[in-house]
Amino acid sequence: QTVVIQEPSVTVSPGGTVTLTCASSAGAVTSGFYPNWFQQKPGQAPRALIYSTSNKHSWTPARFSGSLLGGKAALTLSGVQPEDEADYYCTLYYGGAQVFGGGTKLTVL
Amino acid sequence: QITLKESGPTLVKPTQTLSLTCTFSGFSLSTNGVSVGWIRQPPGKALEWLALIYWDDDKRYSPSLKSRLTITKDTSKNQVDLTMTNMDPVDRGTYFCARSVGSRWMDYWGQGTLVTVSS
């Protein structure tokens, strides 16, 4: 089964910029995998941030952006805030099924 | 306002079948492009996508769990059910349902329901 790969943990300073990536064991990620990004804080349900690579939901803060970068999907946070500390998950679409990545724990320090 | 809420047993015995219901409001599962799916999360671990049902009754399952899962919908009741057979302690976790519209996957989520598998 296809595996979606994310960095296990990333640390960023407040006000900094960080990019999280989402790779596929099957090869390069393209827009056809419809990358989606989610944020999850402890004890809460996930919250959708980005869909179809780079589209923001109405509630997504402007500092979050999605893209394709070097064969991977990417989530960039610019001007990181303390409240951005959370787990971030991507999903990729494989012919009708969604596969979540293992998640990235973002620490703001 | 779109809401989803999961319901079902909090405790099941090993080998039993788990039955969960997602009750939603604020949208219709008869609308073109809409789907409702299930996702689970073992304590302290990553999210795992389980299954999805579309407005036209098309169904999709995780390949690794396909033999154990059944997803159905009752459009008139605004409900989606998930059954998982042969439950095992490793199936313990929080089970979420979520709405999708086209490629806007899982834009709205329920709060989740914790399921424990123990004799």
Side-chain angles (χ1 to χ4, degrees), chain A residues 84-103:
Chain A
D84 296 333
E85 183 163 293
D87 294 328
Y88 290 84
Y89 293 93
C90 68
T91 63
L92 299 178
Y93 176 79
Y94 295 92
Q98 292 278 326
V99 179
F100 277 95

PDB file of all heavy atoms in Angstrom, chain A residues 84-103:
ATOM      1  N   ASP A  84       0.067  28.329  16.341  1.00  0.00           N
ATOM      2  CA  ASP A  84       0.236  27.394  15.225  1.00  0.00           C
ATOM      3  C   ASP A  84       0.882  26.086  15.669  1.00  0.00           C
ATOM      4  O   ASP A  84       1.002  25.149  14.871  1.00  0.00           O
ATOM      5  CB  ASP A  84       1.082  28.027  14.117  1.00  0.00           C
ATOM      6  CG  ASP A  84       0.419  29.246  13.494  1.00  0.00           C
ATOM      7  OD1 ASP A  84      -0.829  29.310  13.518  1.00  0.00           O
ATOM      8  OD2 ASP A  84       1.142  30.131  13.017  1.00  0.00           O
ATOM      9  N   GLU A  85       1.300  26.029  16.912  1.00  0.00           N
ATOM     10  CA  GLU A  85       1.867  24.778  17.421  1.00  0.00           C
ATOM     11  C   GLU A  85       0.776  23.714  17.419  1.00  0.00           C
ATOM     12  O   GLU A  85      -0.272  23.868  18.058  1.00  0.00           O
ATOM     13  CB  GLU A  85       2.433  24.978  18.828  1.00  0.00           C
ATOM     14  CG  GLU A  85       3.109  23.734  19.380  1.00  0.00           C
ATOM     15  CD  GLU A  85       4.009  24.031  20.563  1.00  0.00           C
ATOM     16  OE1 GLU A  85       5.033  24.705  20.373  1.00  0.00           O
ATOM     17  OE2 GLU A  85       3.672  23.568  21.671  1.00  0.00           O
ATOM     18  N   ALA A  86       1.017  22.642  16.676  1.00  0.00           N
ATOM     19  CA  ALA A  86      -0.003  21.625  16.449  1.00  0.00           C
ATOM     20  C   ALA A  86       0.597  20.497  15.625  1.00  0.00           C
ATOM     21  O   ALA A  86       1.751  20.562  15.206  1.00  0.00           O
ATOM     22  CB  ALA A  86      -1.201  22.221  15.701  1.00  0.00           C
ATOM     23  N   ASP A  87      -0.223  19.471  15.406  1.00  0.00           N
ATOM     24  CA  ASP A  87       0.115  18.422  14.445  1.00  0.00           C
ATOM     25  C   ASP A  87      -0.510  18.784  13.105  1.00  0.00           C
ATOM     26  O   ASP A  87      -1.654  19.246  13.051  1.00  0.00           O
ATOM     27  CB  ASP A  87      -0.412  17.070  14.913  1.00  0.00           C
ATOM     28  CG  ASP A  87       0.272  16.576  16.172  1.00  0.00           C
ATOM     29  OD1 ASP A  87       1.471  16.883  16.365  1.00  0.00           O
ATOM     30  OD2 ASP A  87      -0.386  15.884  16.964  1.00  0.00           O
ATOM     31  N   TYR A  88       0.253  18.552  12.056  1.00  0.00           N
ATOM     32  CA  TYR A  88      -0.222  18.847  10.704  1.00  0.00           C
ATOM     33  C   TYR A  88      -0.198  17.569   9.879  1.00  0.00           C
ATOM     34  O   TYR A  88       0.801  16.849   9.855  1.00  0.00           O
ATOM     35  CB  TYR A  88       0.649  19.921  10.047  1.00  0.00           C
ATOM     36  CG  TYR A  88       0.459  21.273  10.688  1.00  0.00           C
ATOM     37  CD1 TYR A  88       1.162  21.612  11.837  1.00  0.00           C
ATOM     38  CD2 TYR A  88      -0.457  22.184  10.182  1.00  0.00           C
ATOM     39  CE1 TYR A  88       0.968  22.843  12.462  1.00  0.00           C
ATOM     40  CE2 TYR A  88      -0.666  23.408  10.787  1.00  0.00           C
ATOM     41  CZ  TYR A  88       0.047  23.727  11.935  1.00  0.00           C
ATOM     42  OH  TYR A  88      -0.163  24.942  12.545  1.00  0.00           O
ATOM     43  N   TYR A  89      -1.328  17.316   9.221  1.00  0.00           N
ATOM     44  CA  TYR A  89      -1.461  16.110   8.400  1.00  0.00           C
ATOM     45  C   TYR A  89      -1.778  16.496   6.967  1.00  0.00           C
ATOM     46  O   TYR A  89      -2.554  17.419   6.710  1.00  0.00           O
ATOM     47  CB  TYR A  89      -2.595  15.228   8.925  1.00  0.00           C
ATOM     48  CG  TYR A  89      -2.342  14.620  10.274  1.00  0.00           C
ATOM     49  CD1 TYR A  89      -2.765  15.244  11.443  1.00  0.00           C
ATOM     50  CD2 TYR A  89      -1.686  13.391  10.390  1.00  0.00           C
ATOM     51  CE1 TYR A  89      -2.534  14.682  12.688  1.00  0.00           C
ATOM     52  CE2 TYR A  89      -1.448  12.816  11.628  1.00  0.00           C
ATOM     53  CZ  TYR A  89      -1.875  13.473  12.769  1.00  0.00           C
ATOM     54  OH  TYR A  89      -1.652  12.908  13.998  1.00  0.00           O
ATOM     55  N   CYS A  90      -1.187  15.742   6.054  1.00  0.00           N
ATOM     56  CA  CYS A  90      -1.584  15.875   4.656  1.00  0.00           C
ATOM     57  C   CYS A  90      -2.308  14.603   4.247  1.00  0.00           C
ATOM     58  O   CYS A  90      -2.171  13.556   4.894  1.00  0.00           O
ATOM     59  CB  CYS A  90      -0.384  16.096   3.749  1.00  0.00           C
ATOM     60  SG  CYS A  90       0.730  14.686   3.600  1.00  0.00           S
ATOM     61  N   THR A  91      -3.132  14.713   3.206  1.00  0.00           N
ATOM     62  CA  THR A  91      -3.707  13.538   2.576  1.00  0.00           C
ATOM     63  C   THR A  91      -3.461  13.622   1.081  1.00  0.00           C
ATOM     64  O   THR A  91      -3.419  14.720   0.507  1.00  0.00           O
ATOM     65  CB  THR A  91      -5.225  13.398   2.796  1.00  0.00           C
ATOM     66  OG1 THR A  91      -5.895  14.510   2.190  1.00  0.00           O
ATOM     67  CG2 THR A  91      -5.572  13.333   4.253  1.00  0.00           C
ATOM     68  N   LEU A  92      -3.315  12.457   0.484  1.00  0.00           N
ATOM     69  CA  LEU A  92      -3.217  12.336  -0.955  1.00  0.00           C
ATOM     70  C   LEU A  92      -4.299  11.371  -1.428  1.00  0.00           C
ATOM     71  O   LEU A  92      -4.694  10.461  -0.701  1.00  0.00           O
ATOM     72  CB  LEU A  92      -1.840  11.833  -1.366  1.00  0.00           C
ATOM     73  CG  LEU A  92      -0.654  12.713  -0.991  1.00  0.00           C
ATOM     74  CD1 LEU A  92       0.651  12.056  -1.423  1.00  0.00           C
ATOM     75  CD2 LEU A  92      -0.774  14.104  -1.604  1.00  0.00           C
ATOM     76  N   TYR A  93      -4.751  11.621  -2.650  1.00  0.00           N
ATOM     77  CA  TYR A  93      -5.856  10.858  -3.232  1.00  0.00           C
ATOM     78  C   TYR A  93      -5.294   9.820  -4.202  1.00  0.00           C
ATOM     79  O   TYR A  93      -4.569  10.160  -5.139  1.00  0.00           O
ATOM     80  CB  TYR A  93      -6.774  11.833  -3.963  1.00  0.00           C
ATOM     81  CG  TYR A  93      -7.921  11.228  -4.720  1.00  0.00           C
ATOM     82  CD1 TYR A  93      -9.073  10.819  -4.076  1.00  0.00           C
ATOM     83  CD2 TYR A  93      -7.865  11.091  -6.108  1.00  0.00           C
ATOM     84  CE1 TYR A  93     -10.142  10.289  -4.776  1.00  0.00           C
ATOM     85  CE2 TYR A  93      -8.926  10.570  -6.823  1.00  0.00           C
ATOM     86  CZ  TYR A  93     -10.060  10.174  -6.144  1.00  0.00           C
ATOM     87  OH  TYR A  93     -11.110   9.651  -6.853  1.00  0.00           O
ATOM     88  N   TYR A  94      -5.625   8.561  -3.942  1.00  0.00           N
ATOM     89  CA  TYR A  94      -5.148   7.481  -4.795  1.00  0.00           C
ATOM     90  C   TYR A  94      -6.349   6.734  -5.341  1.00  0.00           C
ATOM     91  O   TYR A  94      -6.850   5.794  -4.737  1.00  0.00           O
ATOM     92  CB  TYR A  94      -4.249   6.522  -4.003  1.00  0.00           C
ATOM     93  CG  TYR A  94      -2.963   7.127  -3.522  1.00  0.00           C
ATOM     94  CD1 TYR A  94      -2.869   7.706  -2.263  1.00  0.00           C
ATOM     95  CD2 TYR A  94      -1.820   7.105  -4.323  1.00  0.00           C
ATOM     96  CE1 TYR A  94      -1.680   8.256  -1.819  1.00  0.00           C
ATOM     97  CE2 TYR A  94      -0.624   7.646  -3.885  1.00  0.00           C
ATOM     98  CZ  TYR A  94      -0.568   8.222  -2.637  1.00  0.00           C
ATOM     99  OH  TYR A  94       0.612   8.767  -2.194  1.00  0.00           O
ATOM    100  N   GLY A  95      -6.820   7.163  -6.496  1.00  0.00           N
ATOM    101  CA  GLY A  95      -7.876   6.430  -7.189  1.00  0.00           C
ATOM    102  C   GLY A  95      -9.102   6.124  -6.343  1.00  0.00           C
ATOM    103  O   GLY A  95      -9.631   5.022  -6.391  1.00  0.00           O
ATOM    104  N   GLY A  96      -9.553   7.080  -5.594  1.00  0.00           N
ATOM    105  CA  GLY A  96     -10.783   6.896  -4.833  1.00  0.00           C
ATOM    106  C   GLY A  96     -10.565   6.782  -3.352  1.00  0.00           C
ATOM    107  O   GLY A  96     -11.484   6.988  -2.568  1.00  0.00           O
ATOM    108  N   ALA A  97      -9.364   6.451  -2.955  1.00  0.00           N
ATOM    109  CA  ALA A  97      -9.071   6.343  -1.530  1.00  0.00           C
ATOM    110  C   ALA A  97      -8.147   7.475  -1.111  1.00  0.00           C
ATOM    111  O   ALA A  97      -7.321   7.941  -1.878  1.00  0.00           O
ATOM    112  CB  ALA A  97      -8.424   4.998  -1.226  1.00  0.00           C
ATOM    113  N   GLN A  98      -8.328   7.905   0.109  1.00  0.00           N
ATOM    114  CA  GLN A  98      -7.455   8.921   0.680  1.00  0.00           C
ATOM    115  C   GLN A  98      -6.428   8.226   1.569  1.00  0.00           C
ATOM    116  O   GLN A  98      -6.733   7.232   2.227  1.00  0.00           O
ATOM    117  CB  GLN A  98      -8.272   9.880   1.556  1.00  0.00           C
ATOM    118  CG  GLN A  98      -9.247  10.752   0.805  1.00  0.00           C
ATOM    119  CD  GLN A  98      -8.579  11.966   0.221  1.00  0.00           C
ATOM    120  OE1 GLN A  98      -7.655  12.522   0.797  1.00  0.00           O
ATOM    121  NE2 GLN A  98      -9.041  12.378  -0.942  1.00  0.00           N
ATOM    122  N   VAL A  99      -5.229   8.753   1.595  1.00  0.00           N
ATOM    123  CA  VAL A  99      -4.213   8.227   2.490  1.00  0.00           C
ATOM    124  C   VAL A  99      -3.618   9.407   3.265  1.00  0.00           C
ATOM    125  O   VAL A  99      -3.164  10.384   2.660  1.00  0.00           O
ATOM    126  CB  VAL A  99      -3.096   7.489   1.735  1.00  0.00           C
ATOM    127  CG1 VAL A  99      -2.052   6.970   2.719  1.00  0.00           C
ATOM    128  CG2 VAL A  99      -3.679   6.326   0.933  1.00  0.00           C
ATOM    129  N   PHE A 100      -3.633   9.290   4.572  1.00  0.00           N
ATOM    130  CA  PHE A 100      -3.038  10.319   5.416  1.00  0.00           C
ATOM    131  C   PHE A 100      -1.545  10.062   5.583  1.00  0.00           C
ATOM    132  O   PHE A 100      -1.096   8.914   5.647  1.00  0.00           O
ATOM    133  CB  PHE A 100      -3.664  10.299   6.814  1.00  0.00           C
ATOM    134  CG  PHE A 100      -4.965  11.037   6.919  1.00  0.00           C
ATOM    135  CD1 PHE A 100      -6.167  10.360   6.799  1.00  0.00           C
ATOM    136  CD2 PHE A 100      -4.992  12.406   7.153  1.00  0.00           C
ATOM    137  CE1 PHE A 100      -7.375  11.029   6.907  1.00  0.00           C
ATOM    138  CE2 PHE A 100      -6.199  13.081   7.263  1.00  0.00           C
ATOM    139  CZ  PHE A 100      -7.384  12.389   7.137  1.00  0.00           C
ATOM    140  N   GLY A 101      -0.806  11.138   5.688  1.00  0.00           N
ATOM    141  CA  GLY A 101       0.576  11.027   6.104  1.00  0.00           C
ATOM    142  C   GLY A 101       0.655  10.784   7.602  1.00  0.00           C
ATOM    143  O   GLY A 101      -0.359  10.843   8.314  1.00  0.00           O
ATOM    144  N   GLY A 102       1.860  10.512   8.065  1.00  0.00           N
ATOM    145  CA  GLY A 102       2.053  10.220   9.477  1.00  0.00           C
ATOM    146  C   GLY A 102       1.981  11.440  10.385  1.00  0.00           C
ATOM    147  O   GLY A 102       2.002  11.306  11.606  1.00  0.00           O
ATOM    148  N   GLY A 103       1.894  12.622   9.777  1.00  0.00           N
ATOM    149  CA  GLY A 103       1.764  13.842  10.554  1.00  0.00           C
ATOM    150  C   GLY A 103       3.099  14.450  10.927  1.00  0.00           C
ATOM    151  O   GLY A 103       4.113  13.747  11.080  1.00  0.00           O
TER     152      GLY A 103
END
